Amino acid sequence: MHPILIIVFLPLLAAIVTGLGNKDLGGGPAKLITTLCLFVSAALSWYEFIPYLTETAQTQVVPVLKWVASGSFAFDWTLRVDTLTAIMLVVVTSVSSLVHLYSWGYMDDEPDKPRFFAYLSLFTFMMLMLVTANNLVQMFFGWEGVGLASYLLIGFYLRKPSAGAAAIKAFVVNRVGDLGFMLGIFATYLVFGTVSIPDILAAVPGVAGSTIGFIGFRFDTMTVITLLLFIGAMGKSAQLGLHTWLPDAMEGPTPVSALIHAATMVTAGVFMCCRLSPMFAASETTMTVITFVGAATCFFAATVGCTQWDIKRVIAYSTCSQLGYMFFAIGVGAFGSAMFHLFTHAFFKALLFLCAGSVIHAMHHEQDMRYYGNLWKKIPITFWAMTFGTLAITGVGLFGVGFAGYYSKDSIIEAAYASGTGMGHFAYWMGIAAALMTSFYSWRLVFLTFFGKPRWAQSEHIQHALHDAHGHGDHGHGHDAHGHDDHAHGDHGDGTGGYQPHESPLVMTLPLILLSVGAIAAGFVFEHWFVSEGTGAFWKGGLVFNEHLIHAMHGVSGIIKYMPFIVMVIGFVIAWYGYIKNTSFPAKVAEQIGPVYTFVYRKWMFDELYNFLFVKGAFTFGKLFWKVLDIKIIDRFGPDGAAWVVAKGSTYAQKVQSGYLYSYALVMLLGLVGAISWVIAG
């Protein structure tokens, strides 16, 4: 059997076995089966990826089965593996396997583990289907599959209303983007006469410059198609306007957040644009739009991340901002830099989310950073892993040596400036501003969580946990069942409230250690293949690689090149001053810029705006249709009207049924006379 088939379908097999077995299978076997299958897939993915680094591997097309044959519309289900796919296979399976292992500890108290692990494996399979697609219909199958799996995982906690609402929100917002994606696929088939991705990309030069009719006007063909496809990418990858689902997705378990943000759903839009890069590169208008949207998203999300208190929401808005970097890299034609940042981002973003989960685990599910403090001594492995992740995302590095984000994010910023366009320079300055804020909110998170005085006593979650532990005697750690120990309540002057956090178990810390290696070394090790001059052959035609732009990037002047480092240091200093040196400073600033702070804290009021424009209107129309169309018209003249006719008819029929023999004889006689009269008349 071809290794690619094993890589792709082993997670599906694990999901089916675990899902159907469910509670009869048990939590232990469910964890073992799914995790083992994912580690096998990850090992085979790296085995398949290494030959591409030596540029000895060729594109592979592995047939699975015949799929559709309807006249001239025919395509098979085949798996395509080239450099671009091999990178995604490594990203998806590596992160997913570590998330599976991490979930052994994080979800240990969850009674419904088989369902959770089945959903995780299904999520992975759907993403693998997307990245190995050889045609647009197959890509759409994976595209919708990750949407379904995200809905199931975000809403995993069935008795948590906020989780259900977040799952619905993610599903609905993505349907908006998916409408654009579907229209883009339809338009592509209409123009190219095929859904085969290699055939479409080969035919792009012949279509470039032509026009197509759309909504009654003539437009550039490739602009119409690529803008529609990009709308789909905006939904999946949470770009400005269709981003609102991503922060609320935090309602799902933390391992799910790591998988969504690092390796699966949100990377789908970036991958799709890179996979179809010749189509996007053929439209200057689309590239300009992508550059603007990516730069605006990058800046917007960074501003919001600076004001949030929920540790997972800070990292969520960080993801949104980093995706903005990837998209404006695509917009300026630096597709290699976009994929490079996707690759490195997968490691340090998974690391940051899993570290956040470890902190939450240690703090009895408290997610508000205002109730943390001085945790670095209590959970040292988590602290160092979070520090490495922070060094990576902030792009710490100088003179060619640094952490992962230093190589990939800086290459994007340099590409934006080197593009030489007005929109490229706009993206550059937005990227610089976002880099400053990224450094600020990332170190703000570290300082609030791991340094300063402990503020645990103020947390209701921890107080409830202490009450349960001491009051019920289940986990009292030697104290009496009535909780008379004098550490059960109160501050004791140390701010701990008597609670002592503890490091996570090995199954949770081991993934942190492994991901830390990626956050430290992924940029340095792989930079040569992604964005160096003369390595366009690495992509083997699977990606538009602009050697001229790469050359221009290396020629960027000193101050422009070192600006990301400068603002990174500024962001660190501001965070240190505000959350270590002078802790009253942030509150004073927030008070002075009150309306601006409130606007940013409330996420630029996007939720309120959409609620006013769409949600309230939808409910109004729904109520109108319910009260008027459904009740007063359909019900009145339909089931209710029929019931009224039957009831009235029954009343009159009762009067005929008198029970007297002569009444029935009279009816029979009248009937007989009528029948004879009809025969004679006929």
Side-chain angles (χ1 to χ4, degrees):
M1 181 180 291
H2 199 286
I4 300 301
L5 294 173
I6 299 175
I7 292 171
V8 173
F9 288 103
L10 206 54
L12 175 63
L13 177 63
I16 292 173
V17 171
T18 306
L20 294 179
N22 207 349
K23 293 184 179 179
D24 291 334
L25 183 66
K31 295 189 297 185
L32 183 62
I33 291 170
T34 54
T35 306
L36 181 61
C37 287
L38 260 298
F39 270 96
V40 171
S41 288
L44 290 175
S45 296
W46 280 98
Y47 174 78
E48 288 291 315
F49 175 61
I50 298 301
Y52 288 95
L53 296 179
T54 61
E55 300 182 9
T56 59
Q58 299 296 323
T59 298
Q60 306 171 67
V61 179
V62 182
V64 177
L65 50 81
K66 296 288 184 181
W67 199 356
V68 172
S70 178
S72 61
F73 185 60
F75 53 88
D76 298 332
W77 192 350
T78 56
L79 306 180
R80 177 183 179 84
V81 182
D82 55 15
T83 306
L84 193 62
T85 304
I87 292 168
M88 293 303 298
L89 290 178
V90 165
V91 168
V92 174
T93 58
S94 298
V95 173
S96 182
S97 59
L98 293 177
V99 167
H100 274 73
L101 179 61
Y102 178 93
S103 299
W104 283 42
Y106 193 86
M107 302 296 287
D108 185 55
D109 295 332
E110 172 58 46
D112 204 0
K113 283 190 281 287
R115 181 167 63 92
F116 176 78
F117 281 91
Y119 287 170
L120 276 187
S121 295
L122 178 65
F123 202 177
T124 306
F125 165 72
M126 288 301 181
M127 190 63 189
L128 293 174
M129 285 304 309
L130 192 157
V131 301
T132 58
N134 196 42
N135 61 72
L136 293 178
V137 178
Q138 189 178 330
M139 181 181 285
F140 186 72
F141 171 78
W143 191 273
E144 292 302 304
V146 294
L148 168 64
S150 67
Y151 170 79
L152 296 173
L153 284 166
I154 295 170
F156 175 77
Y157 295 124
L158 301 178
R159 293 181 176 84
K160 187 178 179 183
S162 58
I168 293 172
K169 185 176 183 179
F171 200 78
V172 170
V173 172
N174 272 274
R175 297 291 70 72
V176 177
D178 291 353
L179 175 61
F181 189 54
M182 285 189 290
L183 292 175
I185 293 175
F186 296 155
T188 301
Y189 178 72
L190 178 66
V191 171
F192 293 92
T194 180
V195 292
S196 170
I197 293 175
D199 293 344
I200 292 168
L201 300 185
V204 166
V207 175
S210 64
T211 60
I212 187 175
F214 185 67
I215 59 174
F217 299 93
R218 303 294 299 182
F219 297 98
D220 179 75
T221 301
M222 295 311 303
T223 298
V224 171
I225 293 175
T226 51
L227 282 178
L228 289 171
L229 293 173
F230 178 60
I231 291 173
M234 288 179 64
K236 275 289 180 288
S237 295
Q239 292 302 282
L240 189 63
L242 295 178
H243 68 280
T244 54
W245 67 270
L246 190 60
D248 289 358
M250 298 301 97
E251 293 292 339
T254 300
V256 173
S257 302
L259 195 56
I260 290 177
H261 286 248
T264 53
M265 188 160 169
V266 299
T267 63
V270 178
F271 170 80
M272 184 269 290
C273 291
C274 290
R275 166 59 77 207
L276 304 178
S277 55
M279 297 176 67
F280 285 88
S283 172
E284 184 178 346
T285 300
T286 298
M287 296 290 273
T288 301
V289 170
I290 293 175
T291 304
F292 175 79
V293 172
T297 303
C298 179
F299 178 82
F300 152 76
T303 63
V304 180
C306 293
T307 64
Q308 301 301 300
W309 295 109
D310 187 312
I311 187 171
K312 289 173 66 176
R313 284 186 179 269
V314 173
I315 303 174
Y317 277 104
S318 165
T319 299
C320 196
S321 183
Q322 299 302 308
L323 289 166
Y325 277 111
M326 297 176 207
F327 274 105
F328 79 66
I330 290 171
V332 299
F335 293 97
S337 294
M339 284 304 302
F340 189 25
H341 197 48
L342 186 154
F343 181 79
T344 60
H345 177 264
F347 293 103
F348 61 72
K349 186 48 59 71
L351 175 61
L352 290 172
F353 262 115
L354 296 186
C355 284
S358 184
V359 172
I360 294 167
H361 182 267
M363 297 298 289
H364 268 290
H365 302 287
E366 177 59 70
Q367 296 182 199
D368 194 323
M369 296 184 296
R370 288 172 291 190
Y371 304 136
Y372 292 167
N374 200 33
L375 288 174
W376 73 275
K377 293 180 181 179
K378 304 297 182 180
I379 47 176
I381 297 176
T382 301
F383 162 69
W384 283 111
M386 181 71 86
T387 301
F388 291 139
T390 301
L391 292 169
I393 193 173
T394 56
V396 172
L398 194 62
F399 304 121
V401 180
F403 290 80
Y406 164 70
Y407 298 92
S408 58
K409 187 169 70 174
D410 283 20
S411 75
I412 290 175
I413 295 174
E414 290 170 13
Y417 188 85
S419 67
T421 64
M423 190 57 70
H425 287 176
F426 167 77
Y428 171 83
W429 289 111
M430 287 293 99
I432 290 296
L436 189 154
M437 290 183 284
T438 299
S439 180
F440 169 75
Y441 66 64
S442 297
W443 289 112
R444 169 180 178 261
L445 184 153
V446 171
F447 294 147
L448 280 172
T449 302
F450 296 103
F451 295 94
K453 295 180 180 179
R455 301 175 296 277
W456 317 332
Q458 303 170 40
S459 169
E460 293 184 5
H461 289 81
I462 291 176
Q463 291 306 316
H464 288 161
L466 286 170
H467 173 75
D468 291 342
H470 297 303
H472 297 115
D474 294 331
H475 306 285
H477 305 293
H479 306 309
D480 66 80
H482 299 289
H484 290 154
D485 173 67
D486 60 359
H487 293 280
H489 303 287
D491 194 334
H492 306 287
D494 61 1
T496 66
Y499 178 71
Q500 295 300 319
H502 53 84
E503 186 60 273
S504 299
L506 180 62
V507 290
M508 293 176 65
T509 55
L510 181 59
L512 302 186
I513 295 170
L514 295 175
L515 288 169
S516 294
V517 175
I520 295 169
F524 173 77
V525 172
F526 293 102
E527 180 192 24
H528 170 72
W529 288 281
F530 281 92
V531 293
S532 296
E533 291 187 73
T535 58
F538 169 63
W539 297 102
K540 301 283 187 186
L543 188 79
V544 170
F545 195 80
N546 191 335
E547 290 282 4
H548 175 74
L549 179 61
I550 296 296
H551 179 74
M553 288 167 55
H554 292 288
V556 169
S557 62
I559 187 63
I560 297 298
K561 194 177 187 69
Y562 295 121
M563 187 62 74
F565 175 81
I566 295 171
V567 297
M568 178 272 296
V569 173
I570 294 173
F572 171 83
V573 171
I574 295 173
W576 173 82
Y577 180 79
Y579 295 96
I580 297 295
K581 181 68 174 177
N582 182 4
T583 55
S584 63
F585 177 70
K588 293 178 180 177
V589 173
E591 184 178 356
Q592 289 176 354
I593 60 169
V596 175
Y597 177 84
T598 301
F599 177 74
V600 174
Y601 177 74
R602 297 182 67 174
K603 301 159 285 187
W604 289 31
M605 310 295 284
F606 269 99
D607 283 325
E608 289 81 354
L609 178 63
Y610 287 174
N611 185 61
F612 174 76
L613 292 178
F614 305 116
V615 177
K616 287 186 176 180
F619 274 106
T620 300
F621 276 111
K623 189 173 182 180
L624 176 65
F625 289 140
W626 169 41
K627 293 288 188 179
V628 178
L629 184 63
D630 194 12
I631 295 178
K632 293 186 177 180
I633 298 177
I634 296 177
D635 285 351
R636 181 179 181 184
F637 295 102
D640 291 348
W644 180 83
V645 171
V646 170
K648 286 295 182 182
S650 299
T651 301
Y652 292 120
Q654 288 175 356
K655 295 179 179 180
V656 176
Q657 303 296 329
S658 64
Y660 294 108
L661 181 60
Y662 58 80
S663 296
Y664 299 138
L666 177 61
V667 172
M668 291 174 61
L669 179 60
L670 292 174
L672 181 60
V673 170
I676 294 173
S677 301
W678 180 74
V679 171
I680 294 174

